[in-house]
């Protein structure tokens, strides 16, 4: 079986991947959308009932991290993650 690599490598440094980039605009916009929807749902279901600002702020912090994780999971792929980690390691060895 002859499988082709999905990666293109730099001509100067043969370990740097050049064609795999994260689309941070999509990730950040979807993070904001998920975060705002989750806060509005929390406001509808819980905050109007108990009026606890501390729980609302804790939920907001946790929801922000969860929204970013979900967005990165949806708009990324294992190949992009592998290329990103490879390039970060390669840049740290210089």
């Amino acid at each position: 079986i002859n499988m082709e690599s999905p990666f293109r490598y730099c001509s100067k440094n043969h370990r740097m991947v050049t064609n795999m980039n994260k689309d941070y605009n999509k990730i950040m916009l979807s993070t904001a959308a998920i975060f705002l929807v989750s806060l509005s749902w929390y406001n509808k279901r819980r905050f109007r009932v108990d009026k606890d600002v501390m729980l609302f702020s804790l939920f907001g912090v946790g929801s922000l991290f969860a929204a970013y994780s979900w967005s990165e999971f949806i708009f990324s792929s294992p190949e992009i993650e592998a290329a990103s980690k490879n390039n970060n390691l390669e840049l740290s060895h210089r």
Side-chain angles (χ1 to χ4, degrees):
I1 298 174
N2 186 8
M3 295 182 63
E4 294 183 23
S5 174
F7 305 118
R8 286 194 195 114
Y9 297 98
C10 181
S11 60
K12 293 180 182 177
N13 185 353
H14 296 287
R15 293 177 296 209
M16 288 288 288
V17 179
T18 59
N19 68 331
M20 294 287 177
N21 294 322
K22 286 186 181 182
D23 191 1
Y24 286 108
N25 289 333
K26 279 186 184 177
I27 292 173
M28 290 302 161
L29 285 175
S30 63
T31 298
I34 293 171
F35 177 67
L36 292 176
V37 167
S38 68
L39 283 184
S40 71
W41 283 351
Y42 186 83
N43 185 28
K44 266 188 197 175
R45 309 252 188 247
R46 302 283 181 198
F47 188 64
R48 287 185 183 177
V49 175
D50 62 6
K51 304 279 192 235
D52 192 357
V53 177
M54 183 61 129
L55 285 178
F56 186 71
S57 60
L58 287 174
F59 178 82
V61 169
S63 178
L64 185 62
F65 289 118
Y68 181 75
S69 298
W70 275 107
S71 297
E72 218 176 27
F73 176 74
I74 292 169
F75 290 110
S76 190
S77 69
E79 289 86 10
I80 292 173
E81 290 298 318
S84 176
K85 286 184 180 182
N86 176 59
N87 289 346
N88 288 339
L89 281 172
E90 194 60 36
L91 290 174
S92 69
H93 290 296
R94 285 185 179 185

